[in-house]
């Protein structure tokens, strides 16, 4: 999952713990030579970190090595320096004759603001100290105010417009520079800079209102629900938090074995909240008004500019065709779940929306015996990190080394710092690994690009810096941190984002690494899941932490096949969510209430009945960070599936294929049209039917597993 931050100087985009990209360049470019402080990555993650607490006399550096950030007050210094530099860059950009230097100045302007904004975006949600979080929050507001000013700076807009209007001059620029200039102009125009003064004011007001509503909606989407104790049977109380005379429900409890617990959680947690409903309606309406004000028929048309899909019509064609192909498989999945429910609960065997997560899990366990405790001993964190190191070394010639952070460089003593080093190119960048649970830390697995790569004027390359945030258990006295199969897969997924950041080598930070369209940004991370489920890869690192025994092939095969149990129903649910997202961001006024539209989409595209007096859409937090783009999860998986099967399946360690993948897909960030990157890798432009077929083929059972199980 990517963290969304400011992805450019001209667009204030909501920062949420949802998959986009961040950008920062406050740190120095760093040395590319060999460091004597590097140590093997596997061992580093199977022991507790040493040294940072004992470094009493070392020079204290700020967070991420930024000198100002030794204390919370440093954020004010950093933001004031950035704002002063911004004023100078704006003046230069407005007075410079149109040409290559115009684009360079715009990118430097973007980088200057992102240096503070995106570091602050991470710190405000991850730092354990309230003073740092509050200072970072204030820095985000300060930079956001400057972004709003730049959005309405007509002179700055005109300086870029003069360049784009000169065809001869544009033709003389390289393709990447032309694209970046067009992206900056797109950011201007979606903010309404080309409108008259009154319309421009309305556009700015709508942008501000949308950000406020987004923040309010996100907070409401995660707010626990309360109900008076006496309204629930007493034996159910123990499954929830009790607060005085109330029961507090903080989620759906989807894995609870008791049907009544799941039903109660579903109906209470999803009970409509009038304030949250008004907030959603105003958010959708404001997005629609802004889109139409700046020249788009719907918000979805605006959001899909530059993506793989390009238009809402293509998205809906993809979803409808996928739904048609899934229909029979989904019916069979629901029928299996119904039979299991009847077996376990004969008095109430109707399958309801709160049932699939639990009964599909029961079916998986019964069929494949995939108890996590069987797998965890083979997946120590150090072994998994060494597995990633082996894979990246063979595919790209890259090694991961643990590097001792300086005093004050990290925000928690158990954060590890990795150097990403290429055999011939040297140091490519750094990854900070914030992997372990702690009080107040968000529970989502997430990737942050803390600094984007960028070619500097002196010819040096500004090296990227990323953070991976997971929620893993700490090691114990008797064992290292042991991962469940799901945790291992999530680690591979997030490291896919990190490698996208590390291997991107764009000239401009505006398009560095993961700063690319959403439906392409998830491709490298989802592709890593295929590696994580291939025995040839897993066998390289999965060793029992006590005995050294290799994980048997049958265990990996059963785990992979277990994920296909009821997978059609799971995918059908994602189709329903994605289609609902498109409906909400389609033509306005909507043809019914958000709840009525949900009921219609659920019954048409999912198949399980809508439950009266529920409003699941009010908990759909992805409507903020992924508004009109929720389909990206499915489309990215389809592209990743095609890349895996057509390129990596024959040999997941093939160096030539790895180098081609880097060259064709990873190196360009958002500097090329995403479909051109896909086409370069696959040697063809995939159709909607190709994408649908790739997803459907992933559901087919692997005959080899049945042979292994029968041996």
């Amino acid at each position: 999952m990517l963290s969304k931050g400011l992805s450019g100087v001209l667009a204030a985009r909501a920062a949420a713990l949802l998959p986009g990209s961040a950008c920062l360049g406050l740190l120095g470019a760093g040395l590319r030579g060999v460091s004597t402080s590097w140590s093997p990555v596997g061992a580093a993650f199977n022991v507790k970190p040493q040294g940072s607490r004992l470094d009493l006399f070392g020079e204290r550096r700020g967070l991420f090595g930024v000198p100002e950030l030794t204390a919370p007050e440093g954020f004010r210094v950093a933001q004031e320096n950035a704002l002063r530099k911004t004023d100078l860059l704006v003046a230069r950009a407005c007075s410079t004759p149109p040409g290559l230097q115009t684009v360079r100045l715009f990118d430097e302007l973007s980088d200057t603001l992102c240096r503070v904004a995106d570091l602050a975006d991470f710190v405000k949600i991850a730092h354990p100290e309230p003073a740092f979080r509050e200072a970072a929050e204030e820095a985000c507001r300060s930079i956001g105010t400057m972004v709003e000013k730049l959005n309405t700076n007509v002179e700055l807009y005109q300086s870029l417009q003069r360049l784009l209007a000169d065809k001869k001059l544009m033709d003389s620029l390289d393709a990447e520079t032309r694209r970046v200039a067009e992206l900056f102009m797109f950011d201007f125009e979606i903010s309404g800079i080309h409108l008259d003064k009154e319309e421009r004011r309305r556009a700015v007001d709508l942008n501000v209102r949308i950000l406020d509503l987004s923040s309010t909606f996100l907070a409401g989407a995660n707010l626990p629900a309360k109900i008076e104790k006496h309204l629930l049977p007493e034996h159910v109380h123990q499954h929830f938090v009790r607060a005085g005379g109330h029961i507090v429900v903080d989620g759906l409890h989807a894995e609870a074995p008791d049907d009544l617990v799941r039903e109660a959680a579903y109906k209470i947690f999803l009970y409509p909240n009038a304030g949250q409903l008004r907030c959603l309606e105003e958010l959708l309406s404001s997005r629609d008004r802004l889109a139409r004000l700046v020249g788009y028929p719907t918000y979805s048309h605006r959001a899909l500019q530059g993506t793989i899909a390009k238009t809402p019509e293509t998205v809906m064609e993809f979803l409808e065709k996928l739904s048609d192909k899934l229909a029979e498989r989904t019916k069979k999945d629901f029928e299996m779940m119904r039979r299991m429910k009847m077996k376990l609960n004969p008095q109430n065997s109707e399958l309801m929306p709160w049932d699939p997560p639990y009964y599909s899990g029961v079916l998986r366990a019964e069929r494949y015996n995939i108890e996590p405790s069987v797998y965890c001993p083979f997946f120590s964190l150090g072994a998994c990190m060494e597995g990633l190191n082996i894979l990246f070394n063979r595919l790209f010639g890259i090694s991961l080394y643990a590097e001792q952070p300086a005093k004050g460089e990290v925000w928690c003593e158990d954060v590890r710092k990795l150097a990403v080093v290429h055999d011939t190119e040297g140091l490519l960048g750094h990854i900070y690994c914030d992997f372990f649970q702690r009080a107040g830390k968000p529970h989502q697995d997430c990737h942050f690009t803390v600094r984007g790569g960028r070619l500097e004027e002196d010819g040096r390359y500004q090296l990227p810096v990323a953070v991976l945030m997971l929620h893993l258990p700490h090691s114990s006295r008797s064992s290292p941190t042991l991962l469940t199969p799901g945790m291992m897969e999530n680690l591979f997924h997030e490291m896919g984002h990190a490698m996208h950041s590390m291997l991107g080598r764009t000239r401009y930070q505006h398009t560095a690494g993961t700063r690319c369209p959403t439906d392409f940004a998830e491709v490298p991370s989802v592709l890593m899941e295929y590696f994580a489920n291939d025995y040839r890869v897993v066998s390289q690192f999965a060793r029992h932490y006590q005995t050294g025994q290799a994980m048997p092939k049958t265990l990996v095969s059963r785990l992979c096949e277990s994920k296909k149990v009821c997978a059609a129903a799971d995918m059908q649910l994602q189709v329903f969510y994605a289609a609902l997202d498109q409906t909400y961001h389609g033509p306005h006024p909507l043809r019914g209430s958000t709840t009525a539209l949900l009921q219609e989409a659920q019954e048409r595209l999912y198949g399980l009945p809508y439950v009266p007096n529920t409003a699941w859409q009010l908990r759909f937090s992805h409507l903020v960070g992924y508004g009109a783009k929720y389909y990206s999860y499915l489309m990215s998986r389809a592209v990743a599936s095609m890349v895996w099967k057509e390129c990596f399946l024959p040999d997941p360690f093939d160096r030539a294929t790895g180098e081609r993948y880097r060259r064709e897909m990873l190196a360009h960030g958002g500097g090329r049209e995403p479909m051109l990157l896909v086409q370069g890798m696959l040697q063809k432009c995939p159709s909607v039917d190709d994408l649908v077929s790739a997803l459907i083929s992933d559901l087919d059972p692997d005959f080899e597993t049945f042979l292994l199980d029968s041996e």
Side-chain angles (χ1 to χ4, degrees), residues 640-653:
S641 175
M642 293 185 72
V643 172
W644 170 256
K645 289 167 190 159
E646 298 184 24
C647 304
F648 289 105
L649 182 59
D651 180 359
F653 297 110

Side-chain angles (χ1 to χ4, degrees), residues 574 577-578 581-582 620 622 626-634:
Q574 296 301 309
Y577 292 164
D581 175 42
Q582 288 299 309
F620 193 10
H622 284 77
Y626 275 69
K629 293 184 283 192
Y630 191 82
Y631 77 93
S632 297
Y633 287 113
L634 288 167

Side-chain angles (χ1 to χ4, degrees), residues 226-416:
K226 288 200 299 187
I227 188 172
E228 293 178 15
K229 267 185 186 177
H230 69 87
L231 295 174
L232 285 179
E234 195 165 332
H235 78 275
V236 170
H237 293 186
Q238 63 181 321
H239 297 278
F240 302 104
V241 175
R242 284 162 281 189
H246 289 83
I247 295 291
V248 179
V249 181
D250 60 0
L252 293 175
H253 291 252
E255 307 296 334
D258 190 323
D259 288 354
L260 190 56
V261 171
R262 295 196 309 278
E263 179 179 355
Y266 189 94
K267 290 180 175 178
I268 296 166
F269 193 63
L270 300 184
Y271 190 80
N273 176 291
Q276 183 78 341
L277 185 59
R278 285 192 298 272
C279 179
L280 175 60
E281 289 170 345
E282 188 180 350
L283 174 61
L284 297 176
S285 173
S286 297
R287 283 175 168 174
D288 177 71
R289 281 185 287 149
L290 178 61
R292 287 189 286 114
L293 181 63
V294 299
Y296 293 92
T298 68
Y299 181 82
S300 187
H301 284 88
R302 174 183 184 260
L304 296 180
Q305 284 287 303
T307 61
I308 292 175
K310 294 186 177 179
T311 69
E313 291 76 19
T314 301
V315 172
M316 288 310 299
E317 180 190 0
F318 170 66
L319 295 175
E320 295 284 358
K321 285 186 172 181
L322 180 55
S323 184
D324 287 346
K325 293 284 188 182
L326 286 170
E328 286 305 313
R329 293 172 186 251
T330 300
K331 284 180 184 174
K332 289 178 182 176
D333 285 354
F334 284 154
E335 187 52 41
M336 281 196 301
M337 291 184 225
R338 280 191 189 94
R339 287 199 298 269
M340 180 57 73
K341 186 173 184 180
M342 183 176 291
K343 177 180 172 183
L344 299 180
N345 185 3
Q347 285 77 35
N348 185 14
S349 60
E350 183 183 4
L351 195 68
M352 297 299 289
W354 52 80
D355 289 328
Y358 174 69
Y359 285 109
S360 60
V362 172
L363 286 162
R364 276 191 289 271
E366 181 182 72
R367 189 173 298 182
Y368 290 105
N369 187 24
I370 49 161
E371 176 60 40
S373 62
V374 174
Y375 288 87
C376 291
F378 294 94
F379 292 143
S380 71
L381 177 56
C384 294
M385 293 302 297
E386 189 54 44
L388 287 163
N389 188 44
I390 292 167
L391 179 63
F392 295 147
N393 188 262
R394 292 176 69 174
L395 284 178
F396 307 120
I398 283 172
S399 297
L400 305 176
Y401 293 100
E403 182 176 314
Q404 181 67 42
K407 185 179 179 182
E409 186 178 349
V410 296
W411 48 101
C412 187
E413 67 180 21
D414 59 19
V415 173
R416 312 298 211 279

Side-chain angles (χ1 to χ4, degrees), residues 86-108:
T86 294
D87 289 338
L88 294 173
L89 288 169
V90 168
R92 284 179 62 194
C94 291
S95 60
T96 299
L100 174 63
Q101 189 63 14
T102 305
V103 183
R104 285 178 173 167
L105 284 167
F106 267 74
D107 192 63
E108 188 176 357

Side-chain angles (χ1 to χ4, degrees), residues 607-645:
L608 295 185
Y610 165 76
V611 178
N613 296 314
T614 63
W616 175 84
Q617 77 275 19
L618 304 184
R619 301 290 186 176
F620 193 10
S621 58
H622 284 77
L623 288 173
V624 173
Y626 275 69
K629 293 184 283 192
Y630 191 82
Y631 77 93
S632 297
Y633 287 113
L634 288 167
M635 193 165 281
S636 293
R637 183 164 294 280
V639 172
S641 175
M642 293 185 72
V643 172
W644 170 256
K645 289 167 190 159

Side-chain angles (χ1 to χ4, degrees), residues 534-591:
D534 187 284
Y535 181 71
R536 293 166 296 178
V537 176
V538 174
S539 65
Q540 297 293 311
F541 68 89
R543 297 282 187 279
H544 197 287
Y545 77 98
Q546 291 173 315
T547 66
Q549 176 199 354
M551 177 180 280
K553 186 173 184 180
T554 52
L555 282 185
V556 179
S557 299
R558 286 177 182 174
L559 181 65
C560 295
E561 288 306 293
S562 74
K563 294 174 183 177
K564 298 177 183 179
V565 175
C566 300
D570 291 342
M571 193 178 289
Q572 190 75 57
L573 182 64
Q574 296 301 309
V575 171
F576 155 48
Y577 292 164
L580 183 66
D581 175 42
Q582 288 299 309
T583 299
Y584 284 167
H585 293 100
H588 278 238
L590 297 174
R591 61 179 187 275

